[in-house]
Amino acid sequence: MSDLKNLGNETKYFYNYTPQVLEAIDNKNSERDYFVKLECEEFTCLCPITHQPDFATITINYIPNKKLVESKSLKLYLTSFRDYGTFHEEAVNIIANDLIKLLEPNYLEVTGDFSVRGGISIKPYVNFGTGKYETLARQRLENHI
């Protein structure tokens, strides 16, 4: 764990998309399948057109493989969207892509529950599965409501 740059050190926040702040730690239980659920109830980004803030709860569920996301780095990463202009659907896909690249998980899903603006709430969902988890990904996507 000595390779971690954020945990145990002074916190430096980034407010414009900074994927390089994400860090992983070893999964000491990789022989077992289990879900990890992470929720960020204070996610913000900016509308890329109006530059008005959008607020959301981001939920990340994953079945780890060899790596786990280090939670402080995830907090810093999600905070880095604060001044970043992106559509809701794009935001959840960016988060999923970055976590897939970092963790190479067996399965991952990201849900954005964005607050109502203009009378419409947007709740994008994306998932990914590899190997035997491809069927799980397809089933969860087809049954997602």
Side-chain angles (χ1 to χ4, degrees), residues 13-25:
Y13 291 96
F14 302 91
Y15 298 112
N16 207 336
Y17 177 60
T18 310
Q20 58 272 23
V21 75
L22 277 172
E23 296 181 316
I25 58 175

Side-chain angles (χ1 to χ4, degrees), residues 62-74:
Y62 70 103
I63 300 173
N65 189 2
K66 302 289 183 194
K67 299 287 183 186
L68 301 168
V69 67
E70 193 282 310
S71 60
K72 183 175 181 182
S73 77
L74 180 65

Side-chain angles (χ1 to χ4, degrees), residues 74-121:
L74 180 65
K75 174 183 78 168
L76 296 173
Y77 167 74
L78 293 173
T79 300
S80 80
F81 281 84
R82 183 159 294 160
D83 289 338
Y84 184 66
T86 184
F87 291 111
H88 303 162
E89 300 86 350
E90 182 182 21
V92 298
N93 277 282
I94 291 170
I95 293 166
N97 290 341
D98 288 341
L99 290 173
I100 290 165
K101 181 178 177 183
L102 175 74
L103 303 175
E104 299 177 351
N106 292 316
Y107 175 80
L108 179 126
E109 60 188 25
V110 179
T111 304
D113 187 356
F114 285 82
S115 298
V116 174
R117 189 146 62 86
I120 297 173
S121 66

Side-chain angles (χ1 to χ4, degrees), residues 40-45 54-58 88 112-115 122:
C40 175
E41 296 179 355
E42 299 175 347
F43 180 83
T44 60
C45 60
D54 289 314
F55 302 92
T57 296
I58 299 293
H88 303 162
D113 187 356
F114 285 82
S115 298
I122 299 176

